Amino acid sequence: MNHSHLRTVYGSGGPYATVYLEGRTPSADAETQLRLRWSELRDQLSESGAVESLLESIDAIILVDEPTEVHTDGRTIVANSQGVLLDEHWDAALGEGDSAHYGEAPELGAFLRQECRQFDVVLVIAGQDGAAVRELSVTPDRERIENEPVHVTGDNDEDINKPRRGAYSHNQIRRRVDEIIKDNARAVADFIDRLITDHAPDAVVLAGEVQGRTVVKAELSVRAEELLHEISEGGHDDDGAEEAIDVAIRTLVTRLAEEREAENSERLGESKAHGRAVEGRAEVEKAVERGAAAFLLLDDAEASAGEAEIVSAAILSSAEIGLSHDPMSDGIAAILRYDVASALAD
């Protein structure tokens, strides 16, 4: 994945304080809990050499007037002498615990692993009256983040379920209803295309009743079809269906994450076969420092020794970051921009 958005963080210069606050269950004493949690981490950072002005900049992020969100959602924070450089939601559970680090490179391995497993999904819950469309950010093992749903329908405001009287024949009524349903489906398809253009999601998930899915699917563009994953779970007014949709999306994202890691491993194997990849800390570090790494692969579970510094150099040299489940020497590898002999030559 491309992490160029972090180049300003890595390019700001250390030393850096990196703070992970685990998401906790909402509670009446969230403010007290948060103060105690941060106090312990703050002391660790101070003992490691962090100056008071740096710690005060993090105070302003954590010790806010309404601390419940920080306590519940968790945070990843990176700061240096210039102030806070990164302030992102971390997770909403999972017992990974709070942690604090102080050093010449940000300790963003855990954050990057989460980003590499995160997929932006457009969820379309279709009906004959249009669709409820949501933008989600989903990982296999964390709570999903979502924007408010938008109900998309066509320009016609007629109720397709309203009885009609007068001179209309049954066939005329049926044709008119079909026109309205198709108009709604076109509006949904156009809306999805705009989201794809503006936000480049990883997947479009089509859910809802069969008739609604069918008519929307028929109107989708080629680029929407390329991202499409259809699930059989149904309507947006049923709590049971909502839970089923959530489970189906997590199952999909888990599979997509596994496929992404498998593709990374396959790419590494092919590059090694052609003399354009290295494994192990020493050779990877050398390649990254020389700007020869196009793609840095990290073990999907465990951080390797010296990883923070290697990741920093990789991102500053515009290398992409990915994960691999397959064993790698020292848990790290790099796919190179050119052959190994040229990349590592003294």
PDB file of all heavy atoms in Angstrom, residues 77-109:
ATOM      1  N   ILE A  77      -1.008   8.378  18.267  1.00  0.00           N
ATOM      2  CA  ILE A  77      -0.520   9.764  18.275  1.00  0.00           C
ATOM      3  C   ILE A  77       0.993   9.753  18.090  1.00  0.00           C
ATOM      4  O   ILE A  77       1.703   8.978  18.731  1.00  0.00           O
ATOM      5  CB  ILE A  77      -0.873  10.468  19.600  1.00  0.00           C
ATOM      6  CG1 ILE A  77      -2.391  10.482  19.811  1.00  0.00           C
ATOM      7  CG2 ILE A  77      -0.328  11.885  19.622  1.00  0.00           C
ATOM      8  CD1 ILE A  77      -2.817  10.902  21.204  1.00  0.00           C
ATOM      9  N   VAL A  78       1.472  10.607  17.202  1.00  0.00           N
ATOM     10  CA  VAL A  78       2.906  10.810  17.037  1.00  0.00           C
ATOM     11  C   VAL A  78       3.196  12.302  17.195  1.00  0.00           C
ATOM     12  O   VAL A  78       2.501  13.138  16.604  1.00  0.00           O
ATOM     13  CB  VAL A  78       3.404  10.335  15.658  1.00  0.00           C
ATOM     14  CG1 VAL A  78       4.904  10.635  15.499  1.00  0.00           C
ATOM     15  CG2 VAL A  78       3.155   8.847  15.471  1.00  0.00           C
ATOM     16  N   ALA A  79       4.207  12.611  18.007  1.00  0.00           N
ATOM     17  CA  ALA A  79       4.568  14.013  18.225  1.00  0.00           C
ATOM     18  C   ALA A  79       6.086  14.146  18.294  1.00  0.00           C
ATOM     19  O   ALA A  79       6.790  13.201  18.650  1.00  0.00           O
ATOM     20  CB  ALA A  79       3.938  14.534  19.516  1.00  0.00           C
ATOM     21  N   ASN A  80       6.570  15.325  17.924  1.00  0.00           N
ATOM     22  CA  ASN A  80       7.985  15.670  18.127  1.00  0.00           C
ATOM     23  C   ASN A  80       8.055  17.098  18.648  1.00  0.00           C
ATOM     24  O   ASN A  80       7.037  17.647  19.102  1.00  0.00           O
ATOM     25  CB  ASN A  80       8.808  15.452  16.854  1.00  0.00           C
ATOM     26  CG  ASN A  80       8.426  16.410  15.729  1.00  0.00           C
ATOM     27  OD1 ASN A  80       7.542  17.262  15.882  1.00  0.00           O
ATOM     28  ND2 ASN A  80       9.085  16.279  14.595  1.00  0.00           N
ATOM     29  N   SER A  81       9.198  17.715  18.567  1.00  0.00           N
ATOM     30  CA  SER A  81       9.356  19.060  19.117  1.00  0.00           C
ATOM     31  C   SER A  81       8.470  20.091  18.422  1.00  0.00           C
ATOM     32  O   SER A  81       8.200  21.167  18.966  1.00  0.00           O
ATOM     33  CB  SER A  81      10.820  19.496  19.030  1.00  0.00           C
ATOM     34  OG  SER A  81      11.251  19.505  17.674  1.00  0.00           O
ATOM     35  N   GLN A  82       8.008  19.762  17.203  1.00  0.00           N
ATOM     36  CA  GLN A  82       7.129  20.682  16.473  1.00  0.00           C
ATOM     37  C   GLN A  82       5.675  20.580  16.909  1.00  0.00           C
ATOM     38  O   GLN A  82       4.851  21.397  16.544  1.00  0.00           O
ATOM     39  CB  GLN A  82       7.233  20.402  14.972  1.00  0.00           C
ATOM     40  CG  GLN A  82       8.638  20.568  14.407  1.00  0.00           C
ATOM     41  CD  GLN A  82       8.712  20.124  12.959  1.00  0.00           C
ATOM     42  OE1 GLN A  82       7.773  20.306  12.188  1.00  0.00           O
ATOM     43  NE2 GLN A  82       9.834  19.531  12.586  1.00  0.00           N
ATOM     44  N   GLY A  83       5.342  19.532  17.649  1.00  0.00           N
ATOM     45  CA  GLY A  83       3.963  19.312  18.072  1.00  0.00           C
ATOM     46  C   GLY A  83       3.442  17.974  17.595  1.00  0.00           C
ATOM     47  O   GLY A  83       4.211  17.085  17.205  1.00  0.00           O
ATOM     48  N   VAL A  84       2.127  17.804  17.602  1.00  0.00           N
ATOM     49  CA  VAL A  84       1.495  16.555  17.193  1.00  0.00           C
ATOM     50  C   VAL A  84       1.496  16.453  15.670  1.00  0.00           C
ATOM     51  O   VAL A  84       1.013  17.344  14.974  1.00  0.00           O
ATOM     52  CB  VAL A  84       0.058  16.444  17.738  1.00  0.00           C
ATOM     53  CG1 VAL A  84      -0.658  15.229  17.149  1.00  0.00           C
ATOM     54  CG2 VAL A  84       0.073  16.353  19.262  1.00  0.00           C
ATOM     55  N   LEU A  85       2.028  15.343  15.154  1.00  0.00           N
ATOM     56  CA  LEU A  85       2.151  15.122  13.715  1.00  0.00           C
ATOM     57  C   LEU A  85       1.103  14.146  13.188  1.00  0.00           C
ATOM     58  O   LEU A  85       0.765  14.173  12.010  1.00  0.00           O
ATOM     59  CB  LEU A  85       3.547  14.575  13.389  1.00  0.00           C
ATOM     60  CG  LEU A  85       4.729  15.411  13.871  1.00  0.00           C
ATOM     61  CD1 LEU A  85       6.019  14.620  13.709  1.00  0.00           C
ATOM     62  CD2 LEU A  85       4.810  16.722  13.124  1.00  0.00           C
ATOM     63  N   LEU A  86       0.619  13.268  14.058  1.00  0.00           N
ATOM     64  CA  LEU A  86      -0.368  12.269  13.662  1.00  0.00           C
ATOM     65  C   LEU A  86      -1.319  12.050  14.819  1.00  0.00           C
ATOM     66  O   LEU A  86      -0.899  11.873  15.969  1.00  0.00           O
ATOM     67  CB  LEU A  86       0.332  10.946  13.305  1.00  0.00           C
ATOM     68  CG  LEU A  86      -0.577   9.812  12.825  1.00  0.00           C
ATOM     69  CD1 LEU A  86      -1.113  10.104  11.421  1.00  0.00           C
ATOM     70  CD2 LEU A  86       0.164   8.470  12.829  1.00  0.00           C
ATOM     71  N   ASP A  87      -2.613  12.061  14.524  1.00  0.00           N
ATOM     72  CA  ASP A  87      -3.648  11.813  15.521  1.00  0.00           C
ATOM     73  C   ASP A  87      -4.757  11.044  14.825  1.00  0.00           C
ATOM     74  O   ASP A  87      -5.569  11.618  14.112  1.00  0.00           O
ATOM     75  CB  ASP A  87      -4.176  13.144  16.083  1.00  0.00           C
ATOM     76  CG  ASP A  87      -5.382  12.963  17.004  1.00  0.00           C
ATOM     77  OD1 ASP A  87      -5.548  11.849  17.532  1.00  0.00           O
ATOM     78  OD2 ASP A  87      -6.152  13.929  17.173  1.00  0.00           O
ATOM     79  N   GLU A  88      -4.751   9.706  14.989  1.00  0.00           N
ATOM     80  CA  GLU A  88      -5.683   8.846  14.272  1.00  0.00           C
ATOM     81  C   GLU A  88      -6.391   7.914  15.243  1.00  0.00           C
ATOM     82  O   GLU A  88      -5.841   7.517  16.275  1.00  0.00           O
ATOM     83  CB  GLU A  88      -4.933   7.994  13.232  1.00  0.00           C
ATOM     84  CG  GLU A  88      -4.308   8.793  12.105  1.00  0.00           C
ATOM     85  CD  GLU A  88      -5.326   9.278  11.079  1.00  0.00           C
ATOM     86  OE1 GLU A  88      -6.493   8.803  11.123  1.00  0.00           O
ATOM     87  OE2 GLU A  88      -4.966  10.110  10.242  1.00  0.00           O
ATOM     88  N   HIS A  89      -7.628   7.530  14.882  1.00  0.00           N
ATOM     89  CA  HIS A  89      -8.322   6.485  15.636  1.00  0.00           C
ATOM     90  C   HIS A  89      -7.483   5.218  15.586  1.00  0.00           C
ATOM     91  O   HIS A  89      -6.878   4.885  14.568  1.00  0.00           O
ATOM     92  CB  HIS A  89      -9.689   6.215  15.022  1.00  0.00           C
ATOM     93  CG  HIS A  89     -10.659   7.331  15.228  1.00  0.00           C
ATOM     94  ND1 HIS A  89     -11.540   7.353  16.272  1.00  0.00           N
ATOM     95  CD2 HIS A  89     -10.862   8.474  14.533  1.00  0.00           C
ATOM     96  CE1 HIS A  89     -12.266   8.458  16.211  1.00  0.00           C
ATOM     97  NE2 HIS A  89     -11.873   9.160  15.163  1.00  0.00           N
ATOM     98  N   TRP A  90      -7.467   4.496  16.691  1.00  0.00           N
ATOM     99  CA  TRP A  90      -6.662   3.278  16.737  1.00  0.00           C
ATOM    100  C   TRP A  90      -7.552   2.050  16.641  1.00  0.00           C
ATOM    101  O   TRP A  90      -7.662   1.428  15.618  1.00  0.00           O
ATOM    102  CB  TRP A  90      -5.808   3.275  18.007  1.00  0.00           C
ATOM    103  CG  TRP A  90      -5.102   1.995  18.314  1.00  0.00           C
ATOM    104  CD1 TRP A  90      -5.066   1.345  19.505  1.00  0.00           C
ATOM    105  CD2 TRP A  90      -4.329   1.188  17.413  1.00  0.00           C
ATOM    106  NE1 TRP A  90      -4.319   0.198  19.412  1.00  0.00           N
ATOM    107  CE2 TRP A  90      -3.862   0.076  18.143  1.00  0.00           C
ATOM    108  CE3 TRP A  90      -3.994   1.293  16.070  1.00  0.00           C
ATOM    109  CZ2 TRP A  90      -3.069  -0.929  17.574  1.00  0.00           C
ATOM    110  CZ3 TRP A  90      -3.215   0.301  15.489  1.00  0.00           C
ATOM    111  CH2 TRP A  90      -2.754  -0.786  16.239  1.00  0.00           C
ATOM    112  N   ASP A  91      -8.267   1.713  17.675  1.00  0.00           N
ATOM    113  CA  ASP A  91      -9.153   0.559  17.600  1.00  0.00           C
ATOM    114  C   ASP A  91     -10.285   0.753  18.584  1.00  0.00           C
ATOM    115  O   ASP A  91     -10.408   1.783  19.218  1.00  0.00           O
ATOM    116  CB  ASP A  91      -8.397  -0.742  17.843  1.00  0.00           C
ATOM    117  CG  ASP A  91      -8.011  -0.919  19.312  1.00  0.00           C
ATOM    118  OD1 ASP A  91      -8.051   0.079  20.053  1.00  0.00           O
ATOM    119  OD2 ASP A  91      -7.675  -2.033  19.706  1.00  0.00           O
ATOM    120  N   ALA A  92     -11.108  -0.262  18.718  1.00  0.00           N
ATOM    121  CA  ALA A  92     -12.206  -0.175  19.666  1.00  0.00           C
ATOM    122  C   ALA A  92     -12.273  -1.428  20.522  1.00  0.00           C
ATOM    123  O   ALA A  92     -13.335  -1.909  20.841  1.00  0.00           O
ATOM    124  CB  ALA A  92     -13.512   0.042  18.921  1.00  0.00           C
ATOM    125  N   ALA A  93     -11.126  -1.984  20.835  1.00  0.00           N
ATOM    126  CA  ALA A  93     -11.139  -3.137  21.736  1.00  0.00           C
ATOM    127  C   ALA A  93      -9.853  -3.930  21.662  1.00  0.00           C
ATOM    128  O   ALA A  93      -8.787  -3.386  21.481  1.00  0.00           O
ATOM    129  CB  ALA A  93     -12.311  -4.039  21.407  1.00  0.00           C
ATOM    130  N   LEU A  94     -10.003  -5.222  21.821  1.00  0.00           N
ATOM    131  CA  LEU A  94      -9.047  -6.269  21.482  1.00  0.00           C
ATOM    132  C   LEU A  94      -7.880  -6.485  22.425  1.00  0.00           C
ATOM    133  O   LEU A  94      -7.034  -7.295  22.145  1.00  0.00           O
ATOM    134  CB  LEU A  94      -8.500  -6.036  20.062  1.00  0.00           C
ATOM    135  CG  LEU A  94      -9.594  -6.002  19.008  1.00  0.00           C
ATOM    136  CD1 LEU A  94      -8.998  -6.059  17.645  1.00  0.00           C
ATOM    137  CD2 LEU A  94     -10.568  -7.129  19.176  1.00  0.00           C
ATOM    138  N   GLY A  95      -7.815  -5.778  23.528  1.00  0.00           N
ATOM    139  CA  GLY A  95      -6.846  -6.126  24.550  1.00  0.00           C
ATOM    140  C   GLY A  95      -5.397  -5.990  24.167  1.00  0.00           C
ATOM    141  O   GLY A  95      -4.533  -6.666  24.719  1.00  0.00           O
ATOM    142  N   GLU A  96      -5.092  -5.133  23.217  1.00  0.00           N
ATOM    143  CA  GLU A  96      -3.683  -4.952  22.843  1.00  0.00           C
ATOM    144  C   GLU A  96      -2.960  -4.053  23.834  1.00  0.00           C
ATOM    145  O   GLU A  96      -1.738  -4.033  23.885  1.00  0.00           O
ATOM    146  CB  GLU A  96      -3.590  -4.378  21.422  1.00  0.00           C
ATOM    147  CG  GLU A  96      -4.070  -5.357  20.376  1.00  0.00           C
ATOM    148  CD  GLU A  96      -3.868  -4.848  18.961  1.00  0.00           C
ATOM    149  OE1 GLU A  96      -3.132  -3.860  18.783  1.00  0.00           O
ATOM    150  OE2 GLU A  96      -4.446  -5.436  18.041  1.00  0.00           O
ATOM    151  N   GLY A  97      -3.701  -3.287  24.611  1.00  0.00           N
ATOM    152  CA  GLY A  97      -3.098  -2.474  25.654  1.00  0.00           C
ATOM    153  C   GLY A  97      -2.562  -1.148  25.166  1.00  0.00           C
ATOM    154  O   GLY A  97      -2.398  -0.918  23.972  1.00  0.00           O
ATOM    155  N   ASP A  98      -2.309  -0.255  26.116  1.00  0.00           N
ATOM    156  CA  ASP A  98      -1.697   1.039  25.817  1.00  0.00           C
ATOM    157  C   ASP A  98      -0.184   0.861  25.720  1.00  0.00           C
ATOM    158  O   ASP A  98       0.390  -0.031  26.339  1.00  0.00           O
ATOM    159  CB  ASP A  98      -2.012   2.045  26.926  1.00  0.00           C
ATOM    160  CG  ASP A  98      -3.498   2.257  27.136  1.00  0.00           C
ATOM    161  OD1 ASP A  98      -4.261   2.095  26.166  1.00  0.00           O
ATOM    162  OD2 ASP A  98      -3.894   2.586  28.269  1.00  0.00           O
ATOM    163  N   SER A  99       0.458   1.745  24.957  1.00  0.00           N
ATOM    164  CA  SER A  99       1.922   1.710  24.904  1.00  0.00           C
ATOM    165  C   SER A  99       2.446   3.079  24.495  1.00  0.00           C
ATOM    166  O   SER A  99       1.731   3.876  23.887  1.00  0.00           O
ATOM    167  CB  SER A  99       2.425   0.638  23.925  1.00  0.00           C
ATOM    168  OG  SER A  99       1.996   0.922  22.617  1.00  0.00           O
ATOM    169  N   ALA A 100       3.699   3.327  24.859  1.00  0.00           N
ATOM    170  CA  ALA A 100       4.356   4.583  24.504  1.00  0.00           C
ATOM    171  C   ALA A 100       5.803   4.298  24.130  1.00  0.00           C
ATOM    172  O   ALA A 100       6.453   3.430  24.734  1.00  0.00           O
ATOM    173  CB  ALA A 100       4.287   5.566  25.668  1.00  0.00           C
ATOM    174  N   HIS A 101       6.294   5.000  23.122  1.00  0.00           N
ATOM    175  CA  HIS A 101       7.662   4.796  22.617  1.00  0.00           C
ATOM    176  C   HIS A 101       8.298   6.160  22.375  1.00  0.00           C
ATOM    177  O   HIS A 101       7.621   7.108  21.975  1.00  0.00           O
ATOM    178  CB  HIS A 101       7.644   4.005  21.307  1.00  0.00           C
ATOM    179  CG  HIS A 101       6.770   2.792  21.350  1.00  0.00           C
ATOM    180  ND1 HIS A 101       7.235   1.551  21.708  1.00  0.00           N
ATOM    181  CD2 HIS A 101       5.441   2.636  21.080  1.00  0.00           C
ATOM    182  CE1 HIS A 101       6.244   0.682  21.651  1.00  0.00           C
ATOM    183  NE2 HIS A 101       5.145   1.309  21.272  1.00  0.00           N
ATOM    184  N   TYR A 102       9.603   6.228  22.599  1.00  0.00           N
ATOM    185  CA  TYR A 102      10.336   7.470  22.336  1.00  0.00           C
ATOM    186  C   TYR A 102      11.648   7.114  21.654  1.00  0.00           C
ATOM    187  O   TYR A 102      12.434   6.311  22.162  1.00  0.00           O
ATOM    188  CB  TYR A 102      10.620   8.223  23.645  1.00  0.00           C
ATOM    189  CG  TYR A 102      11.186   9.610  23.435  1.00  0.00           C
ATOM    190  CD1 TYR A 102      10.400  10.621  22.902  1.00  0.00           C
ATOM    191  CD2 TYR A 102      12.506   9.895  23.777  1.00  0.00           C
ATOM    192  CE1 TYR A 102      10.908  11.905  22.709  1.00  0.00           C
ATOM    193  CE2 TYR A 102      13.029  11.172  23.592  1.00  0.00           C
ATOM    194  CZ  TYR A 102      12.219  12.164  23.058  1.00  0.00           C
ATOM    195  OH  TYR A 102      12.732  13.440  22.860  1.00  0.00           O
ATOM    196  N   GLY A 103      11.848   7.650  20.445  1.00  0.00           N
ATOM    197  CA  GLY A 103      13.057   7.323  19.706  1.00  0.00           C
ATOM    198  C   GLY A 103      13.202   8.167  18.458  1.00  0.00           C
ATOM    199  O   GLY A 103      12.383   9.053  18.180  1.00  0.00           O
ATOM    200  N   GLU A 104      14.223   7.877  17.688  1.00  0.00           N
ATOM    201  CA  GLU A 104      14.537   8.681  16.509  1.00  0.00           C
ATOM    202  C   GLU A 104      13.596   8.425  15.338  1.00  0.00           C
ATOM    203  O   GLU A 104      13.594   9.180  14.371  1.00  0.00           O
ATOM    204  CB  GLU A 104      15.982   8.424  16.076  1.00  0.00           C
ATOM    205  CG  GLU A 104      17.013   8.999  17.028  1.00  0.00           C
ATOM    206  CD  GLU A 104      16.845  10.504  17.223  1.00  0.00           C
ATOM    207  OE1 GLU A 104      16.644  11.218  16.217  1.00  0.00           O
ATOM    208  OE2 GLU A 104      16.893  10.960  18.375  1.00  0.00           O
ATOM    209  N   ALA A 105      12.795   7.361  15.397  1.00  0.00           N
ATOM    210  CA  ALA A 105      11.797   7.079  14.356  1.00  0.00           C
ATOM    211  C   ALA A 105      10.471   6.753  15.034  1.00  0.00           C
ATOM    212  O   ALA A 105      10.454   6.145  16.107  1.00  0.00           O
ATOM    213  CB  ALA A 105      12.239   5.914  13.479  1.00  0.00           C
ATOM    214  N   PRO A 106       9.358   7.141  14.440  1.00  0.00           N
ATOM    215  CA  PRO A 106       8.060   6.768  15.013  1.00  0.00           C
ATOM    216  C   PRO A 106       7.887   5.246  15.001  1.00  0.00           C
ATOM    217  O   PRO A 106       8.282   4.588  14.053  1.00  0.00           O
ATOM    218  CB  PRO A 106       7.046   7.430  14.063  1.00  0.00           C
ATOM    219  CG  PRO A 106       7.812   8.434  13.283  1.00  0.00           C
ATOM    220  CD  PRO A 106       9.216   7.925  13.201  1.00  0.00           C
ATOM    221  N   GLU A 107       7.283   4.712  16.045  1.00  0.00           N
ATOM    222  CA  GLU A 107       7.019   3.275  16.124  1.00  0.00           C
ATOM    223  C   GLU A 107       5.616   3.006  15.569  1.00  0.00           C
ATOM    224  O   GLU A 107       4.657   2.786  16.322  1.00  0.00           O
ATOM    225  CB  GLU A 107       7.124   2.787  17.566  1.00  0.00           C
ATOM    226  CG  GLU A 107       8.525   2.792  18.126  1.00  0.00           C
ATOM    227  CD  GLU A 107       9.357   1.613  17.630  1.00  0.00           C
ATOM    228  OE1 GLU A 107       8.771   0.695  17.023  1.00  0.00           O
ATOM    229  OE2 GLU A 107      10.577   1.620  17.869  1.00  0.00           O
ATOM    230  N   LEU A 108       5.512   3.017  14.253  1.00  0.00           N
ATOM    231  CA  LEU A 108       4.205   2.919  13.621  1.00  0.00           C
ATOM    232  C   LEU A 108       3.933   1.550  12.991  1.00  0.00           C
ATOM    233  O   LEU A 108       3.021   1.420  12.179  1.00  0.00           O
ATOM    234  CB  LEU A 108       4.056   4.023  12.561  1.00  0.00           C
ATOM    235  CG  LEU A 108       3.804   5.424  13.119  1.00  0.00           C
ATOM    236  CD1 LEU A 108       3.734   6.449  11.991  1.00  0.00           C
ATOM    237  CD2 LEU A 108       2.528   5.459  13.947  1.00  0.00           C
ATOM    238  N   GLY A 109       4.686   0.547  13.395  1.00  0.00           N
ATOM    239  CA  GLY A 109       4.476  -0.780  12.829  1.00  0.00           C
ATOM    240  C   GLY A 109       3.064  -1.295  13.037  1.00  0.00           C
ATOM    241  O   GLY A 109       2.428  -1.804  12.113  1.00  0.00           O
TER     242      GLY A 109
END
